[in-house]
Amino acid sequence: MDEPRLLRERLAATQAALDAAQADQALSSSAAVFGVTTTVNTYPTTAGAFYAVTPSNINGSETEGAAATYVTATGAAILYAWNAGMAVPPNGTPIVAHAVGGRWVFRYDG
């Protein structure tokens, strides 16, 4: 057996073992988070600012036209997300924030 092929096979076996070891673990993070804007001290009055967000889950009947309710995620801590939009979201606005350069960012244009 030639050396490059042996190295490829060892690398594939190592990757397969690593994948199998991590298969039962839950995902530790996501590139996006759903939440609802909230007030911690003073709600922002300008669009391009950081807003306090309560990470939430969506609940309700999964049928076309059914209303959704937002439930605070268990054990979730307040996070701060920057609004890249042109309007100030009203307090209690549902948003989807994306991870950008180590910060959470969402866009609200009204």
Side-chain angles (χ1 to χ4, degrees), residues 33 35-55 77-95 97 103-110:
V33 65
V36 178
T37 61
T38 189
T39 301
V40 171
N41 291 320
T42 304
Y43 199 77
T45 57
T46 59
F50 281 93
Y51 288 78
V53 176
T54 304
I78 297 289
L79 58 90
Y80 292 89
W82 183 71
N83 179 14
M86 301 302 292
V88 175
N91 193 0
T93 300
I95 57 104
R103 304 280 186 189
W104 291 108
V105 177
F106 71 98
R107 182 178 186 99
Y108 183 82
D109 289 316

Side-chain angles (χ1 to χ4, degrees), residues 6-106:
L6 179 63
L7 292 174
R8 282 193 306 272
E9 288 179 1
R10 285 182 181 167
L11 179 61
T14 301
Q15 186 63 51
L18 180 62
D19 290 345
Q22 294 178 342
D24 293 336
Q25 297 177 4
L27 294 175
S28 60
S29 64
S30 175
V33 65
F34 173 76
V36 178
T37 61
T38 189
T39 301
V40 171
N41 291 320
T42 304
Y43 199 77
T45 57
T46 59
F50 281 93
Y51 288 78
V53 176
T54 304
S56 302
N57 294 315
I58 300 172
N59 199 1
S61 176
E62 290 186 35
T63 58
E64 188 172 10
T69 57
Y70 311 121
V71 181
T72 301
T74 304
I78 297 289
L79 58 90
Y80 292 89
W82 183 71
N83 179 14
M86 301 302 292
V88 175
N91 193 0
T93 300
I95 57 104
V96 175
H98 297 272
V100 178
R103 304 280 186 189
W104 291 108
V105 177
F106 71 98

